[in-house]
Amino acid sequence: METVQAALWVVILLVAMALIFDFMNGFHDAANSIATVVSTGVLKPTQAVVFAAFFNFVAIFVFHLSVAATVGKGIVTPDIVDTHVVFGALAGAIVWNLITWYYGIPSSSSHALIGGIVGAVVAKAGTTPLIAAGLIKTVAFIFISPLLGFVFGSLLMVIVAWICRRARPNKVDKWFRRLQLVSAGAYSLGHGGNDAQKTIGIVWLLLLATGYMSSGDTSPPMWVIVSCYAAIGLGTMFGGWRIVKTMGQKITKLKPVGGFCAETGGAITLFTATMLGVPVSTTHTITGAIVGVGSTQRMSAVRWGVAGNIVWAWILTIPASAFVAAIAYWISLQLY
């Protein structure tokens, strides 16, 4: 009886740790959906974070749990996972998030979590338990999601410029200030739909590994789903202002029309990936879209040095979080 209580106690702590990561995910990634709408002056920062948080949570009613299923069952074989692995995975992701938040680098919370899972599992059992198909799909979208964001963002910018070629600039600005509310809402919806499900997936994996769910269960409990969507929404409300500045101003200067095209292009990418069950980075996606919009004006409009530093952070995220997770896994073995 004491063993079961101890296991339950550990599981409760790890669920709380997962929700802290989810909160940090929203906090860290708040810039993804609000940086453009703040930098163009359409919404004040406090209005924007509440707006984005609302759509983060509403995503619970829109998307199926395909991304959660990928994280929970498609990255590593669930039977190799234990509480030490989950602790290592979450610790790796949280530490990397804190480092990149402190330095204002818009890295991927999603890939930090994937890297954490991989690092902890490899520390325990080597590479055998890794599921190649899920990992290849996830790693491929490190490059595919910003590329799609770039293509959709730049394409929409060209189409809008052609449609509005005879309109007065002040009239165009007025219309796109309104339309940007729609695009920012859509991007926040996609952000919540993809990112909250990653935490749902890790909690699902934890419950399967500890016997609190059976392998035949097709979805996690409703309390897991609601709490994860609520946590990411609350994190977004608190916002990550260092990263808002990088995303909204340092890469390229945006007007409402550019903000609309970037957010819409990013939202299309996120909706597609979520329907396919791919855990993509909302950070990568919106960065690609912003660069795409900026490059349609002139190549010099994009500060390629800043964008290059961001890309290096993307490349380092999975190995760095995996390394920290492996150390955290070892530490957890010593603790309990």
Side-chain angles (χ1 to χ4, degrees), residues 1 21 104 143 150 167 171 173 179 189 199 205 224 258 272 274 277 290 292 297:
M1 185 70 177
F21 165 77
F143 306 99
F150 180 95
K171 188 174 182 180
D173 188 76
L179 287 172
L189 195 69
T199 307
L205 191 61
V224 174
T272 303
T274 303
I290 290 172
Q297 301 167 33

Side-chain angles (χ1 to χ4, degrees), residues 165-186:
R165 66 190 184 283
R166 292 191 177 91
R168 294 193 307 273
N170 61 343
K171 188 174 182 180
V172 171
D173 188 76
K174 179 181 177 181
W175 273 105
F176 279 96
R177 280 180 174 275
R178 296 170 182 170
L179 287 172
Q180 209 183 345
L181 294 175
V182 177
S183 61

Side-chain angles (χ1 to χ4, degrees), residues 198-221:
K198 292 152 193 168
T199 307
I200 294 171
I202 192 75
V203 175
W204 191 355
L205 191 61
L206 171 67
L207 296 177
L208 288 170
T210 53
Y212 288 95
M213 284 185 66
S214 70
S215 57
D217 292 329
T218 56
S219 65

Side-chain angles (χ1 to χ4, degrees), residues 70-133:
T70 297
V71 175
K73 298 181 177 181
I75 302 296
V76 297
T77 52
D79 58 353
I80 199 67
V81 176
D82 58 19
T83 54
H84 300 290
V85 168
V86 174
F87 174 81
L90 289 169
I94 288 171
V95 169
W96 184 246
N97 266 2
L98 286 173
I99 291 170
T100 52
W101 169 80
Y102 180 80
Y103 288 104
I105 302 168
S107 67
S108 168
S109 301
S110 311
H111 293 128
L113 181 60
I114 300 299
I117 294 171
V118 169
V121 167
V122 170
K124 179 183 180 180
T127 58
T128 304
L130 302 180
I131 299 173

Side-chain angles (χ1 to χ4, degrees), residues 38 62 64 104 111 125 141 146 164 176 192 194 226 235 269 286-287 294 312 317 322:
V38 170
V62 178
H64 294 293
H111 293 128
F141 266 81
C164 301
F176 279 96
N194 201 280
V226 173
T269 304
I286 195 63
T287 303
W312 274 112
T317 291

Side-chain angles (χ1 to χ4, degrees), residues 4-30:
V4 172
Q5 288 178 335
L8 179 60
W9 176 73
V10 172
V11 169
I12 291 171
L13 279 182
L14 288 174
V15 170
M17 191 175 176
L19 293 176
I20 290 170
F21 165 77
D22 200 22
F23 176 88
M24 288 178 62
N25 192 343
F27 185 91
H28 189 277
D29 290 0

